[in-house]
Amino acid sequence: MRWRGRRGSRNIEDRRGRGLTGRTAGIGGAGAVLIVVVGAFLGVDLTPLLQGSAPQSRQPAPVTEADQKAAEFVSVTLADTEEIWTEIFEQQLERPYDPAVLVLFKGVTQSPCGAASGASGPFYCPLDEKVYLDTAFFTTLSQRLGAGGDFAAAYVVAHEVAHHVQNELGILGETQRNRAQVSEVESNAISVRTELQADCFSGVWARYARDDLGTLEPGDISEAMNAAKQIGDDTLQRNAGRAPQPHTFSHGTSAQRQAWFARGYETGELGACDTFKAASL
C-alpha cells in the first residue's frame, strides 16, 4: 500500500501517553464488560482469546518509534477513507459525508460505550461517533492472528470507519433497536449481518482506493482477504481451542467475511452490500 509521505487526517484524537482515570482498568474487570456493551460495533472480536490476558496498567505506556509509525499510517488511511467516502456519498447517495474521529490510545482509555482496551480490539462507538484503536493491535493482528501486511491493517481501519458509515445511514440505530427486542441467538444473527455489511463497505472503499487514489499495490487485496479469514468467528474460536459454535457468532465466519469484502471490492456499489435482505450469507 502506497501511504508514506501522503496526507494525514485532522480527525485524530491522540490519547497515547495518558493513564486510565477512574475505576475501570484491565480486561479482567469492568473492561471485560466492554465486549458485551459494544459487541455490535467491534470490528475484531477477540473474546475467544481473552482468557488469560494480563490486566492492563493504569499508568501511561511509553510511545515508541513503532507506535509513532503506526499512528502515521492510521492517519493516512483515515484521510483516504474521508476522501473516498465523501466521493461515494456524493456519487451514490447524493448527500454529504460527515467523517468520524479516530481515537488513538495505548493500553486503556475510556469511551461512552465502555472502557477501551487493546485486548478487546478496535471498535466504533456510535454514542460519540468515534473509532477507538490501540496501535499495538496491529502487532496482535500480525503476530498472534497471522494477518500481516499494511493493507491488512488498513482493512481493519476501513472496517471501523464502515461502521460509522452505517451510523450515518441510520443502519446501526435500527439494528440496535431490533436486537433489543429478540433473543440472544437472534441478536447475534443481526450482529453478523451488520458486521458483514461493514466488510462489504470496506471492499467498496478498497475498490475506490485502487481506482481513484492508486494506492493499492500487488498483494494488498490478498492481505485484506487473509485478515478477514483470520478474524472470522469460527477461526478465532478454533484458535482459542474451542469448537466453533455458530449460534454464538457475532461477526461471521471467515468465508463469509471474505465473500462480502470481495463483493464490495468487485462491485464498488453500496447497493450490493445489503446483507439484511440477503437470503443467505
Side-chain angles (χ1 to χ4, degrees):
M1 176 180 173
R2 301 180 181 91
W3 68 272
R4 290 176 177 82
R6 298 179 54 239
R7 178 182 68 88
S9 173
R10 296 181 179 179
N11 294 309
I12 297 285
E13 181 180 332
D14 194 347
R15 298 185 188 175
R16 295 172 301 162
R18 303 184 194 177
L20 178 65
T21 58
R23 295 179 298 170
T24 302
I27 203 65
V33 178
L34 169 68
I35 304 302
V36 177
V37 174
V38 296
F41 311 109
L42 287 169
V44 183
D45 183 9
L46 301 185
T47 309
L49 304 179
L50 291 181
Q51 292 184 349
S53 295
Q56 300 287 325
S57 172
R58 291 174 182 264
Q59 300 303 315
V63 177
T64 66
E65 183 178 346
D67 291 327
Q68 191 57 33
K69 179 180 177 181
E72 292 171 2
F73 170 81
V74 168
S75 180
V76 172
T77 302
L78 184 64
D80 285 354
T81 69
E82 292 163 356
E83 182 173 344
I84 288 170
W85 282 112
T86 295
E87 180 179 355
I88 292 173
F89 268 51
E90 290 176 352
Q91 290 182 352
Q92 299 188 27
L93 302 173
E94 298 183 346
R95 54 175 286 187
Y97 171 66
D98 186 17
V101 170
L102 190 147
V103 177
L104 286 175
F105 68 96
K106 188 169 183 182
V108 286
T109 193
Q110 295 281 10
S111 84
C113 293
S117 163
S120 60
F123 67 94
Y124 174 71
C125 179
L127 299 180
D128 61 0
E129 299 185 351
K130 294 180 179 180
V131 173
Y132 288 79
L133 184 136
D134 183 339
T135 52
F137 175 75
F138 294 147
T139 300
T140 300
L141 186 69
S142 176
Q143 297 182 3
R144 189 169 182 182
L145 299 180
D150 53 11
F151 205 74
Y155 156 69
V156 170
V157 175
H159 179 99
E160 298 311 325
V161 172
H163 283 313
H164 177 67
V165 171
Q166 290 175 313
N167 200 39
E168 286 280 284
L169 299 178
I171 295 171
L172 283 188
E174 182 178 357
T175 59
Q176 279 303 95
R177 288 189 293 272
N178 292 338
R179 292 185 67 198
Q181 300 172 7
V182 297
S183 68
E184 181 178 355
V185 172
E186 292 171 314
S187 176
N188 286 342
I190 294 173
S191 178
V192 166
R193 291 179 183 268
T194 304
E195 294 295 334
L196 293 179
Q197 184 179 64
D199 282 328
C200 189
F201 284 176
S202 301
V204 173
W205 167 81
R207 173 65 174 266
Y208 273 72
R210 184 197 73 180
D211 293 348
D212 290 11
L213 301 183
T215 55
L216 269 64
E217 296 179 307
D220 281 347
I221 295 302
S222 295
E223 290 177 1
M225 291 289 281
N226 179 55
K229 174 184 177 181
Q230 299 302 334
I231 59 178
D233 286 321
D234 54 338
T235 298
L236 284 173
Q237 290 185 1
R238 286 193 190 94
N239 290 343
R242 294 161 46 185
Q245 301 176 6
H247 69 282
T248 68
F249 292 173
S250 58
H251 292 70
T253 66
S254 295
Q256 289 170 337
R257 300 198 73 164
Q258 289 180 311
W260 282 96
F261 176 86
R263 180 178 298 198
Y265 181 71
E266 290 164 1
T267 65
E269 297 290 335
L270 295 185
C273 297
D274 193 347
T275 56
F276 299 97
K277 292 183 178 179
S280 63
L281 299 174

